[in-house]
Amino acid sequence: MKNFLTSSSIGKKLVMSISGAFLVLFLTFHMAMNLVSIISAEAYNSIAAFLGANWYALAGTMLLAAGVAVHILFASVLTFQNWRATRGAVSLQQVREKGLRRYAVERRRDGVSWSSRNMFVLGAIVAIGLLLHLWHFWWNMQLQEVLGEHYNRFGYSVTDGVSLIAKTFANPLYCAVYLLWFTAIWFHLTHGFWSMFQSIGWANKRWYPRLKAVATAYATLVMLGYAVVVVVFFLRSRGLM
C-alpha cells in the first residue's frame, strides 16, 4: 500500500485527492468564520479566542500544515513527472519531424481547460498568498499567544481578529493582492474539486459535466464569501458602509 501511494501515479493522485478534500473542508469552515466578522465583532473574536493556543487548536493547525505540505509535495512530484514525460514525447516528435525545434512543439488535448494546464502555476500563487496570509494573521494571533504574548505588534489583543482584519483591508494594495489570491484559488478549485472524484473513479461521462458544474458553483460561492469580507472592510475603512 505504501509503495502504491508513493510510487505509482494513481497513488500520488489519490493522496492529492485526500489532502485536497481536507483542505476544501477547511476553506469552507474558514470562509464561514470570516463572514461572522462582518456580522459581529464580538462573536468573531470569541471564535478566535476559542481557536487560540489551546491544544485542540494547535493540533488542528499542525494537521492543516501537514495537509498543505503533503498536497504541495505530491503536486510538485506529479508535475515534474509529467514534465519529464512531455520532454520525452517531444524528443520522439523531433525524430519523426526533422528540423522541428523542441520549444516549438506543444500539443494540447481538446477540452482541457486553462486551469487544468496551469494547475502548478496556480498552486504556486496560492502557496505564496498563503504565506502572506499567515504573516498577516496567524503570526499576529495564534503564534503570539503560543509565545506567551497578550498583544501583537500593532498593539491589538492576540484574540482581537476583527481589528486586525480591519487594519489589513484598509490598505487598498492588500485588498487587491487578496482578491488576486482568491481568483487563483477559484481557478485551482474549479479543477481540483472535480478531479478529486476523477482520481477515485467517480467521474464518468455521465457525472463528469455535473461534477464540473458543482465544482464551479462551490468555488464561486466560497471565494465570493472571502471576497465579500475584503470589500466590506475596505468600504468601512472609507466610511462607505
Side-chain angles (χ1 to χ4, degrees):
M1 182 66 177
K2 181 179 179 181
N3 290 334
F4 169 74
L5 293 176
T6 58
S7 300
S8 71
S9 178
I10 296 177
K12 292 185 182 72
K13 289 180 180 180
L14 181 60
V15 173
M16 283 277 293
S17 298
I18 295 172
S19 59
F22 170 70
L23 296 176
V24 162
L25 291 175
F26 173 77
L27 276 175
T28 306
F29 165 77
H30 198 45
M31 182 271 293
M33 177 180 169
N34 284 0
L35 289 176
V36 174
S37 66
I38 298 175
I39 303 169
S40 171
E42 293 77 13
Y44 181 88
N45 287 341
S46 295
I47 298 173
F50 178 74
L51 298 176
N54 304 295
W55 69 266
Y56 45 82
L58 292 174
T61 300
M62 289 187 287
L63 181 62
L64 178 63
V68 171
V70 167
H71 198 72
I72 292 175
L73 174 62
F74 278 77
S76 300
V77 171
L78 283 169
T79 300
F80 178 70
Q81 288 179 342
N82 291 337
W83 177 76
R84 288 186 62 185
T86 301
R87 283 179 63 89
V90 170
S91 298
L92 180 60
Q93 186 74 7
Q94 284 182 293
V95 172
R96 293 176 176 175
E97 300 180 14
K98 295 180 181 180
L100 187 61
R101 296 179 180 273
R102 176 174 298 184
Y103 61 78
V105 179
E106 181 181 3
R107 290 191 175 274
R108 296 179 177 176
R109 293 174 296 171
D110 294 336
V112 178
S113 67
W114 179 88
S115 58
S116 299
R117 295 193 301 269
N118 295 278
M119 280 296 282
F120 188 76
V121 175
L122 290 169
I125 296 174
V126 171
I128 293 171
L130 176 61
L131 292 176
L132 178 66
H133 183 64
L134 290 174
W135 180 66
H136 276 151
F137 296 98
W138 177 77
W139 181 277
N140 289 294
M141 296 179 70
Q142 189 180 65
L143 179 60
Q144 297 305 312
E145 191 172 354
V146 170
L147 295 175
E149 301 292 337
H150 297 289
Y151 300 93
N152 57 37
R153 60 193 174 97
F154 301 113
Y156 303 139
S157 168
V158 294
T159 60
D160 187 2
V162 171
S163 293
L164 198 56
I165 293 173
K167 179 176 179 60
T168 300
F169 297 131
N171 186 326
L173 177 60
Y174 286 147
C175 290
V177 169
Y178 270 84
L179 291 175
L180 176 63
W181 183 40
F182 298 153
T183 301
I185 297 176
W186 182 88
F187 278 111
H188 198 74
L189 280 177
T190 54
H191 171 77
F193 189 89
W194 64 259
S195 66
M196 291 189 302
F197 297 96
Q198 185 182 50
S199 297
I200 59 178
W202 287 5
N204 52 36
K205 290 183 178 180
R206 179 180 179 183
W207 281 98
Y208 179 78
R210 299 178 183 180
L211 288 173
K212 290 194 71 173
V214 170
T216 301
Y218 166 79
T220 302
L221 180 64
V222 171
M223 289 303 107
L224 279 178
Y226 281 107
V228 163
V229 174
V230 173
V231 173
V232 166
F233 275 94
F234 175 74
L235 292 178
R236 286 179 180 177
S237 72
R238 297 299 188 271
L240 299 176
M241 285 191 69

